[in-house]
């Protein structure tokens, strides 16, 4: 969960972060060690399940705005992991360093970035 403004995500990172939300839900609810895995992600500040549904919906709306297919609603009702754990500023720096496409989008959208 990058949780950066959705407008700066390149198509790949937008689709990728969206897919991670569904994977995380599946892991927590169905993987035999799902809760331990989620605990680990939460400790590293990678996830915050209190934001899972809202962030998913933001990503899905942005995908639709860009003409990408979205037909996978997410209605998370499971246990809480990582409340308040995500450092958006750090994630933003990390992402823009790793991805030239996201960095270019951020430069074009200074109010989002
Ligand atoms: Zn979805
Ligand atoms: Zn990117």
């Amino acid at each position: 969960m990058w949780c950066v403004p959705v407008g700066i995500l390149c198509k790949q990172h937008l689709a990728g972060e969206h897919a991670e939300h569904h994977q995380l839900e599946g892991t927590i609810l169905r993987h035999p060690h799902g809760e331990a895995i989620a605990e680990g992600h939460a400790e590293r500040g990678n996830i915050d399940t209190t934001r899972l549904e809202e962030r998913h919906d933001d990503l899905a709306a942005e995908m639709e705005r860009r003409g990408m297919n979205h037909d996978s609603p997410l209605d998370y009702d499971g246990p809480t992991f990582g409340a308040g754990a995500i450092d958006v500023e750090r994630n933003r720096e990390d992402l823009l360093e790793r991805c030239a496409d996201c960095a270019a989008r951020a430069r074009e959208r200074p109010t989002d970035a």
Side-chain angles (χ1 to χ4, degrees):
M1 296 175 70
W2 294 107
C3 290
V4 302
V6 291
I8 72 172
L9 293 169
C10 71
K11 204 169 175 177
Q12 194 188 332
H13 276 113
L14 178 60
E17 187 179 347
H18 167 259
E20 297 277 355
H21 280 61
H22 288 285
Q23 277 169 28
L24 178 63
E25 183 194 34
T27 297
I28 293 170
L29 299 182
R30 286 182 287 283
H31 191 286
H33 309 296
E35 300 204 359
I37 293 168
E39 197 75 53
H41 285 310
E43 278 166 15
R44 291 189 295 278
N46 293 338
I47 65 166
D48 176 353
T49 60
T50 65
R51 300 173 70 174
L52 195 69
E53 225 181 276
E54 186 193 358
R55 177 65 177 171
H56 168 272
D57 292 350
D58 286 348
L59 294 163
E62 180 69 8
M63 287 169 73
E64 282 170 3
R65 266 195 295 277
R66 297 193 207 175
M68 297 158 74
N69 239 356
H70 181 264
D71 55 7
S72 53
L74 191 152
D75 186 10
Y76 184 74
D77 210 10
T80 297
F81 295 98
I86 294 177
D87 183 342
V88 175
E89 189 53 32
R90 195 190 65 188
N91 285 355
R92 194 189 64 85
E93 283 172 22
D94 187 19
L95 178 66
L96 299 192
E97 201 161 292
R98 278 203 237 172
C99 180
D101 293 340
C102 287
R105 292 187 65 92
R107 277 195 302 275
E108 290 161 12
R109 293 166 182 75
T111 51
D112 275 357

